[in-house]
Amino acid sequence: MITKTNVRPYKGTDQWEADVFMLINGKEVRRRWRSPMPSKLATERWAREKAKGFLADYGTPASPAEQEEEAPPKPATPLLREYAVRWMDEYVIANRHSNATVEGRQKCLRNHLLPLLGELPIDKIGPAEYQKLRQARKSHDVNGVNKMCDQLTTMLHVAVEWKLIVAAPKVKRLKAEQKEMAVLTLEEGERLVETAQVFGAKFHLVALLGVDGGLRNSEIIGLRWSDIDFDRDEIVVQNRIWNGEEGPPKGKKNRRIPLTGRLREALQAFPRKARHVFVTYKGTFIKTNQTLPEWFEKIWAKAQVPRGIHTLRHTFATDAVDAGVPLRAVQTLLGHASIVTTERYLHTRKGQLANAMHTLEQARQHRDWRKTGEG
């Protein structure tokens, strides 16, 4: 029979330990067990059930009172679709993730995770379920599938912290093929700026904010006159517009961009109509991120250069690296949280490869070859 049960915190952890004394064949036996239960009361009940099994193995029945006591029902593990609601509310939104992040998380749940795994208890999601997700989305880009799996992993790690499950599965990411980023050559960059100037002042200014400032699409339309400091010759990037709402830059970190001479001139010459630099005909800020690409369709066609507002940012970064600007400085100018992201701009332009081969060819032609038989 069970004579005594003590429950206390397990040393150095946030778990509980049960210390149980039992009477077996007239002798007192003591056993200590580390509990998987989240509370002291649940641990005490769990320990008594554990002790009953221990006594049964020795052929010692529990006392009548203990036999009549019903085992406590185990708390049901939530289904993924149930847990997702709490995770979005108490983790993503509670931790004040950006609107763009919240929308992305919801979209991933709605379109991928819940349709495939929503009816599974979260403690039943393992490597096989990750593989099911990859198989079902095999037509998607590898990076996109990795993001789906990353979100699922984050959700399960939070579930461990909340003591809803014991552990999260360890799953490796798919190896993604490194794709070359679209970037303009020096000639293409200047041609785009000149072509944009022909179309008008606002197009010229957008081109310069990308090529000379490295601003993102959302940061360009979110730029306010108060963010420009002509005394210090710099732009303080501290606002962006995403899906019609203003907020801090990506990563929630402000950064300062020194003005080039031509960017300063373009800003000073640009008319101030409202709080924001670029506004609609009504004087309100631009709410859609598709506006700039629509503005530049004819410009890209006429300049005959690769399309994309983000391509201007790539060009800014690549030009800086090629000019010998330290990678840490480029990281700061771009506002990257990790230097690994900035290292993508260390790629070599095709023109540089051609020049390298030409240099090698010239060196070989001028090399003094040793004649056969010479010592």
Side-chain angles (χ1 to χ4, degrees), residues 2 5 41-42 44-49 52 62-72:
I2 302 170
T5 303
L41 180 61
E44 185 174 355
R45 291 175 176 171
W46 172 85
R48 295 185 72 83
E49 291 302 313
K52 289 178 186 179
S63 65
E66 292 168 346
Q67 290 177 345
E68 292 176 4
E69 183 181 343
E70 293 185 3

Side-chain angles (χ1 to χ4, degrees), residues 21 47 49 52 59 170 183:
F21 294 84
E49 291 302 313
K52 289 178 186 179
K170 295 181 179 179
V183 62

